[in-house]
Amino acid sequence: MLSRKVQINEHGDVGVMKVISEEVGAPADNEVQIAQKAIGLNFIDIYYRTGLYQQPLPHGLGFEGAGIVQAVGSRITHLKKGDRVAYGQSPIGAYAEVRNVPAANVLAIPDFLSFDEAAAVMLKGLTVQYLFRQTYRLQGTETILFHAAAGGVGLIACQWARALGVKLIGTVSSPEKSDLALSHGAWATIDYSKEDVVERVLALTNGRKVPVVYDGVGKDTWERSLDCLQPRGLMVSFGNASGAVTGVNLGILASKGALYVTRPTLGPHVDTPEKLKAASDELFDMIRRKKIKVQIDQRYSLEDAGEAHQALASRKTTGATVITLD
């Protein structure tokens, strides 16, 4: 079967992204073939395009998608042709019309979830699940700091925190993004373009600071995040939107209060079908109970994927962005 896909032959700006056609063969014994309806866009896609994260060239882009199963490998029993499915982790190459994906990464999605919503929420929603329920299991009594609260992950985090009874302080870059985060459940926001983040956290917490900071921004917020933590607090650095954190002197953790730091990723938290199902079931239940609403604010075609990358990198987006194929 012939399928269009985005491929890069070198690292660089969005100009390296080319739409090509390729033949997609039958799925392997452990794979399913998916006719994709929607593809999720995430910052990690930009990291692979620019070469911050390395993959042998040439390669596709993207890790998240949703669609309909067209064929199943001989060893697959939990999925069948015609199933509505989605995945948040896969081999790189989700920017495609049709692709084969390891079945262990693929889940049937409930009827109340559209393809666009599934493509927008799998990676982002499972990220919030592992951050809030596994990396630092929130109990509902905490005040926390979450950077980029109006983004795709951030808006899910705002809603999940509210559902847990957690007071989420979210950083944003504009009054509009502040309003958006607050409407989704943030307890308070800090406009980092105008306000001192550390001073505002001190004021909002009556000088106590926070036990955990969730930071997907990276280089630009690293020092400020550490300064917002209570003694023995946990710095969760889960992304590099502004660039990677490098050259860290461990002594700084001692000087700022015997702090802890972790650099988690989704993969190890859902590395078995059982773990993936458990995390997804919790996420889907939050959506079913309307505790989380998937907000998609941008949609692009496969041919305009480069434009989508530019919008995301320049922080012009809110909520989730998807590439649609219908």
Side-chain angles (χ1 to χ4, degrees):
M1 175 178 294
L2 204 60
S3 169
R4 292 182 305 141
K5 62 175 282 189
V6 171
Q7 179 172 291
I8 67 170
N9 298 315
E10 59 183 327
H11 298 125
D13 62 20
V14 296
V16 303
M17 299 168 64
K18 307 296 183 185
V19 177
I20 66 167
S21 294
E22 72 168 6
E23 190 70 27
V24 179
D29 290 348
N30 66 337
E31 293 179 332
V32 293
Q33 185 173 101
I34 303 173
Q36 302 205 120
K37 300 296 184 180
I39 300 154
L41 183 74
N42 299 282
F43 252 101
I44 193 171
D45 306 346
I46 297 174
Y47 303 157
Y48 275 97
R49 189 201 78 222
T50 60
L52 177 64
Y53 291 177
Q54 292 288 317
Q55 180 82 7
L57 292 165
H59 62 74
L61 291 171
F63 296 91
E64 181 180 36
I68 300 172
V69 174
Q70 292 203 138
V72 299
S74 61
R75 290 164 45 194
I76 308 309
T77 58
H78 71 291
L79 296 169
K80 65 183 184 303
K81 183 177 179 179
D83 280 351
R84 301 171 70 251
V85 296
Y87 57 91
Q89 293 268 278
S90 74
I92 197 166
Y95 292 15
E97 290 178 319
V98 178
R99 70 182 304 228
N100 297 327
V101 181
N105 300 126
V106 179
L107 289 167
I109 57 175
D111 291 340
F112 58 77
L113 207 59
S114 71
F115 291 120
D116 284 11
E117 289 171 332
V121 81
M122 286 299 291
L123 180 56
K124 300 172 187 68
L126 291 175
T127 294
V128 177
Q129 194 281 333
Y130 89 73
L131 290 174
F132 283 6
R133 313 305 290 154
Q134 299 187 62
T135 302
Y136 183 106
R137 189 171 179 85
L138 294 168
Q139 302 301 310
T141 58
E142 301 90 348
T143 300
I144 67 174
L145 179 64
F146 201 102
H147 287 293
V153 175
L155 291 182
I156 295 171
C158 289
Q159 295 175 83
W160 208 314
R162 177 172 58 187
L164 292 172
V166 169
K167 293 180 177 179
L168 183 147
I169 303 169
T171 66
V172 296
S173 60
S174 70
E176 294 76 19
K177 289 189 175 184
S178 174
D179 291 343
L180 188 60
L182 291 168
S183 71
H184 280 71
W187 174 66
T189 60
I190 302 170
D191 186 339
Y192 63 80
S193 70
K194 301 175 182 176
E195 300 175 285
D196 184 290
V197 173
V198 179
E199 287 183 3
R200 285 288 292 143
V201 167
L202 282 168
L204 288 165
T205 61
N206 295 317
R208 290 190 297 270
K209 302 186 180 182
V210 297
V212 58
V213 174
Y214 295 100
D215 189 342
V217 176
K219 180 178 65 176
D220 288 354
T221 50
W222 168 255
E223 287 278 353
R224 281 177 286 174
S225 293
L226 296 181
D227 288 335
C228 292
L229 283 166
Q230 298 169 358
R232 301 186 65 202
L234 176 63
M235 169 65 171
V236 183
S237 179
F238 69 95
N240 314 291
S242 67
V245 176
T246 59
V248 176
N249 179 351
L250 290 179
I252 197 173
L253 305 180
S255 67
K256 291 183 181 293
L259 303 178
Y260 294 88
V261 173
T262 184
R263 178 57 177 92
T265 59
L266 174 60
H269 293 84
V270 292
D271 58 357
T272 68
E274 294 77 19
K275 290 180 184 178
L276 176 60
K277 185 177 186 307
S280 299
D281 283 350
E282 186 172 8
L283 171 62
F284 293 158
D285 185 60
M286 294 290 282
I287 298 171
R288 180 187 63 79
R289 293 190 292 124
K290 302 189 186 306
K291 299 296 185 181
I292 291 175
K293 180 180 183 297
V294 184
Q295 178 154 335
I296 303 169
D297 290 335
Q298 298 83 210
R299 287 177 170 84
Y300 293 88
S301 67
L302 196 65
E303 287 78 11
D304 292 331
E307 184 180 336
H309 274 221
Q310 288 178 318
L312 184 62
S314 62
R315 304 187 188 184
K316 293 179 179 178
T317 64
T318 57
T321 301
V322 295
I323 296 169
T324 58
L325 293 166
D326 275 344

